Amino acid sequence: MPALTALALFSLALDAAAAERVLVVSIDGLRSDAVTVELTPSLAGLKARGASTLGAESLEPTFTIPNHVSMLTGLTPAAHGITAADDPGDLVVDGTILELAHARGLKTALYLSKAKLRLLAKPGALDRYVVSAQGASSEAAGALLQDLEDPAARWHLAFLHIAEPDAAGHGHQWMSPEYLEAVREADRLVGRIVGRLEELGLRAGTLLIVLADHGGAGSGHASPVPEVRRVPWIATGARVRGGAAIGRRVHVHDTAPTVLRALGLEIPLWMEGAAVDEVFEAAAARALRGDADSSGAIGLGDALALLRRLFAGEGMPCAAAGDVNADGAVNLTDPIHLLGHLFRGGPPPAQPYPECGAGSMEDELECARGVCP
C-alpha cells in the first residue's frame, strides 16, 4: 500500500464537500433480491429517496474480509493482497478512508460486529472504535447512536458493520426464513439510525451509503454466481439525487473514492475504484477551458479525468471544459495538449483560460452551464 506521505504529490483536486458527514453501513451477506418494500421497508425508502443500484458487484474472492478491505481502500483484492476468508490475526490495513480522513483532521469511527474485521482499525486512525463483544450488530449500532447524541463525539466519517444476515445464511441457507428475518432486523437497525439522524437535525448534511460485501447461495458465498456477486448499493442524503437509478456498473471498491469525493478530500491516484459521481446533484459546470474535473483549477487531475472519459467511459460535468484545444471534440489530443502545457511549457488551453470568462463555451458540446460561476 503506498505511503500516506505520497498523497500530497499524487492526488486529485476536488470540488467543495457534498456532505458534512458520511456514514457507510455494510450489511454482511445481503442479497440484492432480498431488498424489497415488504421485507426491507427502510432500505426501500432510502432507495426511493436516493440514488441506487441493485446490480452492484462484489469482488473475487467473494469473502467478507477482502471485500471490506476493498470497500475502505478503493483497491481490488489483487492489489491489496488480502484474499483469505479466515481471521488475519494481527494484520492491519494501511490507507483506508478512515485513515485518510483522520489525517486531514476529520473525526472517524468504526463500529464492528465481527472481530475479524479489526484489521480495518489501524491504531491512530480512529477517534472511536467499537467491536461488539457478542457479535451483535445491535450493540455496534447502539454505540453509533450513542455517539450521535453527543455533539462532542459526533464523527465526520463512520463505518458500521451488520453481521446477522451472513450468519443466518451460513447457518440456515440464504433466502431461508431465518435469513429473511435477519435481513428484517438489519433493516430495522438502519431505520433506527435514519430516524435518529432526522430527529437530531443531521439527516440533510449526512451522506448515507448502504451496501453489502457479497450475497450468498445455499449455505455459502464462495462461488461467483449472480446470487453471490450482485449486491445493493444505495446512497442517500447530502446532495444526492432523489429516486435515481445508477446507470454505470458499481463495484464495492468504488465506495472509498465516493466517500472521499463527498467529504471534499483528495482521491489518491493509487485507488482503483472510481467515485460514483452520478449519485450527486450536478453542480454548475465551470466554464474554464481544461478544467475537466470541475475543481476550479488546471492540473494533473484534469488530464486523468480526460483519460478516464476516453478509456473508461466516465462522464464530466462540462465536456466543453475538456475540449482543451477547442477543436469541437474531446479526444486524445486534449490530455496530450494539457500535459504538454503543464510539464513541457507547451501552449495553454484555448480561451476561456487562464481565467474563467475570458471566452465562451456556451455553444460547444454538452455543458450544463456555459458561464462562469
Side-chain angles (χ1 to χ4, degrees):
M1 184 81 62
L4 288 178
T5 53
L7 294 182
L9 295 177
F10 301 98
S11 60
L12 297 181
L14 299 179
D15 218 334
E20 297 172 13
R21 68 191 58 81
V22 177
L23 171 60
V24 180
V25 178
S26 172
I27 303 179
D28 204 323
L30 178 62
R31 273 173 50 157
S32 283
D33 55 355
V35 179
T36 66
V37 173
E38 296 76 20
L39 184 65
T40 58
S42 296
L43 294 182
L46 296 178
K47 185 173 177 290
R49 296 194 299 271
S52 65
T53 175
L54 296 181
E57 294 188 2
S58 175
L59 300 171
E60 294 188 55
T62 50
F63 300 144
T64 295
I65 296 176
N67 274 278
H68 277 91
V69 174
S70 293
M71 227 179 266
L72 294 186
T73 62
L75 295 172
T76 61
H80 60 61
I82 299 170
T83 57
D86 299 329
D87 191 322
D90 295 330
L91 180 66
V92 176
V93 175
D94 292 321
T96 68
I97 52 175
L98 294 163
E99 183 180 3
L100 300 180
H102 193 270
R104 294 293 298 272
L106 300 185
K107 189 171 292 186
T108 57
L110 178 64
Y111 306 91
L112 299 178
S113 56
K114 274 187 180 177
K116 69 180 183 179
L117 290 176
R118 64 186 179 277
L119 80 169
L120 300 171
K122 183 175 181 178
L126 296 168
D127 294 279
R128 180 83 154 114
Y129 174 41
V130 174
V131 181
S132 172
Q134 305 301 321
S137 301
S138 58
E139 182 180 338
L144 182 151
L145 288 166
Q146 181 181 358
D147 290 342
L148 277 179
E149 300 290 336
D150 181 3
R154 287 177 192 159
W155 29 262
H156 297 99
L157 172 60
F159 183 86
L160 170 66
H161 173 259
I162 297 176
E164 282 78 5
D166 180 70
H170 285 297
H172 303 279
Q173 296 200 350
W174 264 258
M175 306 308 285
S176 66
E178 293 84 358
Y179 170 80
L180 297 179
E181 181 53 39
V183 170
R184 286 190 188 92
E185 182 55 34
D187 185 72
R188 293 187 193 107
L189 284 179
V190 173
R192 283 180 57 200
I193 293 167
V194 172
R196 196 63 188 126
L197 285 168
E198 291 175 348
E199 292 166 359
L200 293 169
L202 303 175
R203 186 70 185 94
T206 301
L207 169 65
L208 173 61
I209 297 176
V210 182
L211 74 160
D213 53 343
H214 57 74
S219 59
H221 50 80
S223 300
V225 296
E227 294 83 358
V228 171
R229 286 293 302 273
R230 287 170 58 89
V231 294
W233 198 98
I234 303 169
T236 182
R239 221 187 79 185
V240 173
R241 296 164 55 212
I246 299 172
R248 56 160 280 194
R249 179 177 294 180
V250 177
H251 295 86
V252 295
H253 68 310
D254 295 328
T255 306
T258 304
V259 169
L260 295 179
R261 178 81 77 199
L263 289 171
L265 299 180
E266 298 88 354
I267 299 176
L269 296 188
W270 45 259
M271 279 193 176
E272 297 173 293
V276 190
D277 287 330
E278 70 178 81
V279 306
F280 300 113
E281 293 175 350
R286 298 176 183 273
L288 177 63
R289 185 81 68 182
D291 186 18
D293 63 1
S294 289
S295 67
I298 306 299
L300 179 59
D302 299 298
L304 290 169
L306 281 164
L307 291 172
R308 285 173 174 164
R309 176 186 172 96
L310 293 171
F311 296 106
E314 293 190 15
M316 60 180 63
C318 177
D323 182 16
V324 181
N325 56 10
D327 65 355
V330 176
N331 52 40
L332 193 56
T333 63
D334 296 302
I336 292 173
H337 186 120
L338 187 57
L339 290 170
H341 170 64
L342 292 172
F343 299 108
R344 302 192 65 181
Q351 290 186 338
Y353 180 87
E355 294 184 358
C356 193
S360 173
M361 299 191 296
E362 293 182 11
D363 299 322
E364 300 178 41
L365 302 175
E366 72 269 19
C367 191
R369 192 175 73 154
V371 295
C372 289

